[in-house]
Every structure is written in structure tokens, then in C-alpha cells.
């Protein structure tokens, strides 16, 4: 790979009358004669932004070496041997080694900016591709070839990165497209963003790399294959909210081959039940690694034909990550492959707007700046009568919303969308202690029946929190006695001091 660097020099001159003129000059320098050691160019489905790392010689003490300087924020390019641009990005890290007389440079393409820069926007009936254009325009990224979906999407992006917003739009568009396939056996349409120079493209993920195949007799140097069923789940017991079994779903082929491993799905009226059940199923985990002669075309998000009899990797596979190295004129690559085409899905944010019993819209989250007693009162006043997004199962949502007025911990859990008692307890760590009424303080959380329910302690044996029977069975924030809800208090979370 040929590395080039763009630098901008500013020169200010003063004429005889004292007038100053500033001139900027752009230069693009070929660093081929300065680069040393290994050049690494890599990307992955999960990392998204491609990364370029290289070193070049620099020693101001040696008159035979140019004192070449690269600064953070400047642009570097990577070209193949035919002069085609393969990478364009900005420098984010520089590391100097005086003893070795080298400078190591790390650069990322502009997807790094989209993955780091956040915004808040409301989108109503907009095409996924138009949402991508709007985000690029706001964050200063050039929009390139954006896959046309023809599907309109609506959502509110609250403090989301540009990348998350684009993927929310394309995830929803893909769902719409795949739900109306004429042939259900056709592969799902999936999308993935890539940078082409300084322009963002969104492509259909998994397109086959033309003219390239991994062949054990031609370009594969080494290959590895791993299969594991340690996380296998092939049977789902389905229960109602009272724990009564209502049915089962199974993957019979997996059960016959591997034996049965079962999980339980408890019905939630706010869930898409089938989607939730499908997420619980987990098949064999399979992965493969190829060490090959390098090809610039082999990049994550594309698929490749593999012919490797020894590891039984024969057919079409998907590149999860790629690492290309260039050293002493030799281009090699390491490909991590996947056995199915996967998309980095971003689901639309849940609508957390709820109605209080007075009819007003309550979306006020506290600032965790009150003392516990005042915070409990303020939180309850803000949310009394409100039905949580998870309805009658919204006990954690109620506790974290009320607690957001006095507890930084509960506010953080609220901001993070925590909605299950086990997660709340795990996040609290050592602050969870066995229940003993003598240890209760106003603002603590009381947990019932192990991890089935949670409320906020309001003092004098009373709680504030979610009542599943409120609002006609939809659930509502209310108050009552901690010993009068038909469950046994088993733990205390000391949120009065968190």
C-alpha cells in the first residue's frame, strides 16, 4: 500500500504598506520512502470505521533524514499499486519513539466521525436514504451512493450518534422490505455503511466479491474452524405473567442432534412475543479464520467463495473482519468469516411518553440533585398515576424515574433504559443487602421474591412505585404498604446513598 499525506501550510506576508495577506497551500506528499515496518489496514462489521496504521522515520538529530511532520486531524490516503484510492481518513493518534527514530500514525475513515458525533432529531415519514442524507449534511460528511429502499420511517433520535440514526432508519426499512418478500425463502435484504474515499455509501450487505475466491491450492496459507454449542438454546417454555405454562416452541432438528437445552419466555403484553422468542433461540456458534495472500477487494460486509476441503469450509461465507498487512513488498490478510449474513441492527427507540392520572404528559426525569426524602416526594408527584412503557411490568421503570430526582445511580439506570430487576441488582453490586427493616432508609429500593418486583421506600412502612392493578390493569405509579402487596421483601438496594 502506498501512503500519502495532505498537509496545509499557512503563510502570512506583509507588503510595504503594512497590509497582511494570508495564503494557504495544500500539498500531498508520497511517504513511500519514509514508511518503515508493517502497514496495517483493517475493518470489521462491528467496528464499522476502517483503520490505517503505519510508521515512518523521523529524527531531527540526523541531517540525512527529513524532519517530516504529520499532525492529528490531517488527512492521509492509502493507494493500491495501480493508483486506486483504497483509504482516506484523518489522523487520530501519533506516537513518537525517539530510540527507534519512528513516528506511528493511526487514522480512521469518516465513519469514525459518524460513530462519535451525536445529535437529536425527529424524523417523520422520511425515506431511510433521505434520513442518511440529512444526518450526513448535519455532521459534515459527504453523502455518496445510498441504497434506495423506498420505505418511509418515523422515529425520534434522542442523543444518538449519526451512525446509530442511519442504522435505525435502514434497520426499519429492511424489516419492511423483508416482511413483504414474494418468496419467503429468499435471503433477507440487509444494509451496511462504508466509506468510499470521503463519501458515505450504504450498500446491500453480503454482496459477493467478484473475481476473488479463497482456494486452499491457490491463495490460502492457513485456515481454522471452530464450532461450539455451549450457548445452545433449542426449546422455549412460554408462560403467562402468573407463571402458568401456555405452550412450547422448539427447534426439533437441533434437539435431535445436540439434546435439549431449554429457556423460558414470560409473556409481556408490550413485547412482540414471536420476536422475543426468536431472540432466545441460540444455535451452534461457528467461526472461521483464513490466512491468505492479500487482495484489496476482501473487506468486511462482503461475502467470499471459499474452497477449503480440510476445514470443510466450502461455499459462500461472509467476512466479519479483515486485517491486511503490507511489509517488504508482501501483502497478506487475515479474514474472520461468519456463517450467516448479519446486519448491525439498531432498533427504533421506545416511546417513553406516558400519561399521568391528571391527563398531562409526564416525561420529566429528575436531575439527581435532591436529598432522598425530598427526591422521593418530588419523583412521586411527577409520576403519580403514570403507566410505564412496560405497563403492569414497569416496576423498575417506575423506581428509576422516581429515584432520578435524588439518586445518581437510579438516574443512570433510567437513562440507560434498564427495565429488569436482575439487571438493576447486578448494576447495584455490593449495595444490595438482605432485607432487614431496621436497615431501611427513605430512598432505598425494596426488592421482593428474589428479583420479581421492586419499589422505592417512602418511610413509615410505605412505598411508592408501580402497582400492576392500577389504571384498569395497565399498571400505574401509586403508593401502599410494603407488607400489603402479596409478596415477600427479600433485599434492599441502598439507593438512598447512591
Amino acid at each position: 500500500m502506498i501512503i500519502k499525506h495532505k498537509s496545509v501550510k499557512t503563510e502570512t506576508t506583509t507588503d510595504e504598506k503594512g497590509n497582511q495577506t494570508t495564503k494557504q497551500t495544500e500539498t500531498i506528499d508520497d511517504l513511500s520512502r519514509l514508511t518503515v515496518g508493517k502497514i496495517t489496514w483493517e475493518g470489521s462489521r462491528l467496528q464499522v470505521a476502517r483503520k490505517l496504521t503505519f510508521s515512518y522515520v523521523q529524527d531531527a538529530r540526523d541531517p540525512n533524514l527529513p524532519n517530516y511532520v504529520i499532525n492529528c486531524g490531517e488527512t492521509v490516503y492509502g493507494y493500491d499499486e495501480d493508483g486506486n484510492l483504497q483509504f482516506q481518513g484523518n489522523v487520530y493518534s501519533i506516537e513518537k519513539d525517539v530510540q527507534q527514530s519512528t513516528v506511528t500514525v493511526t487514522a480512521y475513515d469518516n465513519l469514525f466521525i459518524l460513530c462519535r458525533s451525536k445529535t437529536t432529531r425527529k424524523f417523520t415519514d422520511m425515506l431511510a436514504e433521505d434520513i442518511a442524507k440529512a444526518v450526513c449534511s448535519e455532521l459534515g460528511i459527504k453523502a455518496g451512493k445510498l441504497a434506495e429502499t423506498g420505505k418511509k420511517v418515523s422515529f425520534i433520535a434522542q442523543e444518538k450518534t449519526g451512525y446509530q440514526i442511519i442504522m435505525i432508519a435502514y434497520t426499519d426499512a429492511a424489516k419492511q422490505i423483508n416482511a413483504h418478500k414474494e418468496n419467503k425463502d429468499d435471503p433477507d435484504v440487509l444494509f451496511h455503511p462504508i466509506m468510499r474515499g470521503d463519501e458515505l455509501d450504504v450498500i446491500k450487505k453480503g454482496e459477493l466479491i467478484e473475481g476473488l475466491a479463497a482456494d486452499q491450492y491457490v491463495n490460502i496459507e492457513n485456515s481454522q474452524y471452530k464450532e461450539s454449542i455451549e450457548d445452545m438454546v433449542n426449546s422455549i417454555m412460554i408462560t403467562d405473567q402468573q407463571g402458568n405454562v401456555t405452550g412450547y416452541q422448539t427447534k426439533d432438528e437441533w434437539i435431535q442432534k445436540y439434546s435439549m437445552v431449554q429457556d423460558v419466555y414470560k409473556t409481556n403484553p408490550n413485547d412482540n412475543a414471536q420476536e422475543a422468542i426468536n431472540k432466545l433461540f441460540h444455535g451452534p456458534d461457528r467461526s472461521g479464520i483464513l490466512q491468505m495472500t492479500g487482495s484489496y477487494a476482501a473487506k468486511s460486509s462482503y461475502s467470499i467463495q471459499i474452497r477449503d476441503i480440510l476445514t470443510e469450509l466450502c461455499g459462500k461465507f461472509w467476512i466479519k473482519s479483515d486485517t491486511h498487512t503490507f511489509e517488504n513488498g508482501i501483502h497478506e490478510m487475515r479474514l474472520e468469516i461468519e456463517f450467516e449474513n448479519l446486519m448491525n441492527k439498531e432498533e427504533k427507540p421506545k416511546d417513553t411518553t406516558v400519561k399521568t392520572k391528571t391527563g398531562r404528559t409526564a416525561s420529566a426525569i429528575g436531575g439527581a440533585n435532591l436529598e432522598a426524602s425530598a427526591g422521593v416526594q418530588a419523583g412521586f408527584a411527577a409520576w403519580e398515576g403514570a403507566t410505564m412503557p412496560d405497563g403492569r411490568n414497569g416496576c423498575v421503570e417506575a423506581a428509576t424515574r422516581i429515584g432520578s430526582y435524588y439518586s445518581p445511580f437510579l438516574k443512570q439506570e433510567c437513562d440507560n433504559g434498564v427495565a429488569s430487576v436482575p439487571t438493576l441488582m447486578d448494576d447495584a453490586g455490593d449495595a444490595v443487602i438482605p432485607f432487614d427493616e431496621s436497615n431501611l432508609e427513605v430512598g432505598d429500593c425494596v426488592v421482593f421474591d428474589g428479583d420479581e418486583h421492586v419499589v422505592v421506600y417512602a418511610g413509615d412502612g410505605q412505598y411508592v412505585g408501580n402497582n400492576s392493578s392500577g389504571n384498569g390493569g395497565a399498571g400505574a405509579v401509586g403508593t401502599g404498604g410494603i407488607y400489603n402487596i402479596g409478596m415477600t421483601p427479600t433485599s434492599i438496594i441502598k439507593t438512598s446513598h447512591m
Side-chain angles (χ1 to χ4, degrees):
M1 177 173 272
I2 300 165
I3 307 298
K4 296 186 179 182
H5 166 240
K6 181 174 76 173
S7 60
V8 180
K9 297 180 181 179
T10 303
E11 182 180 3
T12 302
T13 58
T14 305
D15 61 19
E16 296 176 352
K17 297 181 180 181
N19 297 318
Q20 290 188 337
T21 302
T22 300
K23 180 181 179 181
Q24 286 190 335
T25 304
E26 288 188 0
T27 60
I28 297 181
D29 301 311
D30 189 332
L31 304 185
S32 298
R33 300 180 64 180
L34 295 178
T35 53
V36 293
K38 184 183 296 183
I39 297 172
T40 303
W41 175 55
E42 59 190 318
S44 75
R45 173 173 65 83
L46 302 178
Q47 178 181 297
V48 187
R50 294 194 68 80
K51 177 182 177 182
L52 177 67
T53 305
F54 64 92
S55 298
Y56 70 94
V57 293
Q58 182 199 69
D59 194 335
R61 301 165 299 180
D62 189 340
N64 297 313
L65 291 176
N67 187 28
Y68 196 85
V69 177
I70 297 178
N71 297 305
C72 282
E74 294 180 340
T75 303
V76 293
Y77 307 87
Y79 294 85
D80 63 24
E81 290 71 19
D82 295 324
N84 300 309
L85 180 65
Q86 298 292 337
F87 175 88
Q88 177 177 340
N90 296 330
V91 176
Y92 284 89
S93 172
I94 295 172
E95 183 177 342
K96 298 183 179 181
D97 189 321
V98 175
Q99 186 175 10
Q100 298 295 327
S101 299
T102 60
V103 178
T104 299
V105 177
T106 301
Y108 294 92
D109 67 22
N110 280 347
L111 264 165
F112 187 87
I113 296 173
L114 285 173
C115 290
R116 296 295 300 274
S117 298
K118 294 183 177 182
T119 186
T120 295
R121 295 282 298 271
K122 180 178 181 179
F123 302 98
T124 304
D125 288 333
M126 286 183 65
L127 295 172
E129 48 269 37
D130 289 340
I131 291 175
K133 289 178 185 176
V135 171
C136 286
S137 177
E138 178 177 345
L139 300 181
I141 305 296
K142 293 181 182 178
K145 301 175 182 177
L146 304 174
E148 296 182 358
T149 65
K151 302 300 180 183
K152 293 184 177 181
V153 181
S154 299
F155 63 95
I156 297 174
Q158 185 75 29
E159 297 181 11
K160 298 290 186 180
T161 67
Y163 167 76
Q164 287 176 312
I165 294 172
I166 291 170
M167 294 310 295
I168 288 171
Y170 272 96
T171 297
D172 193 85
K175 279 185 177 180
Q176 296 181 50
I177 293 170
N178 296 326
H180 296 89
K181 290 188 298 185
E182 292 185 4
N183 185 351
K184 293 185 178 181
D185 293 330
D186 288 342
D188 284 348
V189 174
L190 306 176
F191 299 98
H192 191 77
I194 61 172
M195 293 303 302
R196 179 172 45 86
D198 62 351
E199 295 184 351
L200 176 76
D201 291 349
V202 176
I203 65 171
K204 288 185 177 180
K205 186 181 177 298
E207 293 184 343
L208 185 66
I209 302 170
E210 295 184 4
L212 176 66
D215 193 306
Q216 69 183 92
Y217 299 113
V218 179
N219 51 12
I220 295 179
E221 299 170 2
N222 188 27
S223 58
Q224 302 172 35
Y225 170 72
K226 179 181 178 181
E227 180 174 3
S228 170
I229 60 169
E230 293 176 348
D231 296 322
M232 167 74 70
V233 175
N234 49 33
S235 176
I236 307 297
M237 173 191 287
I238 305 168
T239 74
D240 60 21
Q241 292 183 313
Q242 286 71 45
N244 301 309
V245 178
T246 60
Y248 293 86
Q249 288 193 22
T250 59
K251 299 285 187 180
D252 293 337
E253 184 179 346
W254 292 352
I255 293 174
Q256 292 174 7
K257 187 173 182 180
Y258 304 112
S259 74
M260 189 182 79
V261 181
Q262 183 168 282
D263 203 344
V264 177
Y265 171 71
K266 183 178 181 180
T267 303
N268 185 335
N270 297 293
D271 281 348
N272 181 317
Q274 192 56 56
E275 285 187 6
I277 291 169
N278 289 342
K279 289 179 180 178
L280 291 177
F281 282 117
H282 193 100
D285 291 312
R286 297 180 293 174
S287 62
I289 303 291
L290 298 179
Q291 298 280 355
M292 299 176 55
T293 303
S295 170
Y296 288 98
K299 294 182 289 187
S300 61
S301 76
Y302 292 93
S303 60
I304 185 173
Q305 285 287 348
I306 301 177
R307 295 188 287 270
D308 186 3
I309 298 175
L310 295 178
T311 56
E312 299 180 352
L313 297 177
C314 295
K316 180 180 177 180
F317 297 86
W318 291 265
I319 302 175
K320 181 179 181 180
S321 69
D322 63 278
T323 301
H324 297 252
T325 58
F326 308 83
E327 189 172 21
N328 299 324
I330 299 175
H331 177 188
E332 296 182 316
M333 63 185 181
R334 177 186 184 274
L335 304 182
E336 182 181 3
I337 62 172
E338 296 180 305
F339 289 70
E340 57 182 322
N341 194 13
L342 300 175
M343 178 177 173
N344 293 351
K345 295 181 179 180
E346 288 282 346
E347 301 296 337
K348 288 198 292 188
K350 284 186 177 181
D351 182 5
T352 57
T353 301
V354 294
K355 294 284 187 179
T356 68
K357 68 178 183 180
T358 60
R360 75 184 191 279
T361 297
S363 58
I365 303 301
N369 54 1
L370 300 177
E371 59 89 21
S373 181
V376 170
Q377 294 179 37
F380 181 63
W383 293 98
E384 182 184 6
T387 296
M388 295 294 102
D390 275 348
R392 57 187 290 113
N393 298 311
C395 62
V396 175
E397 294 169 327
T400 57
R401 280 166 168 76
I402 294 169
S404 70
Y405 283 78
Y406 64 90
S407 166
F409 168 74
L410 289 175
K411 175 173 170 52
Q412 180 179 340
E413 296 292 278
C414 179
D415 291 343
N416 291 340
V418 172
S420 78
V421 180
T423 301
L424 181 72
M425 296 177 72
D426 287 344
D427 291 347
D430 293 340
V432 181
I433 62 175
F435 181 82
D436 184 333
E437 188 174 353
S438 65
N439 291 326
L440 269 179
E441 297 178 81
V442 174
D444 287 343
C445 285
V446 182
V447 180
F448 296 82
D449 288 355
D451 59 6
E452 289 296 314
H453 189 61
V454 65
V455 296
V456 175
Y457 185 61
D460 297 326
Q462 300 296 300
Y463 75 86
V464 292
N466 197 56
N467 290 332
S468 61
S469 59
N471 285 348
V477 173
T479 185
I482 61 173
Y483 298 110
N484 298 328
I485 64 174
M487 303 177 80
T488 303
T490 50
S491 300
I492 299 171
I493 307 176
K494 296 298 293 180
T495 48
S496 59
H497 298 288
M498 295 174 69

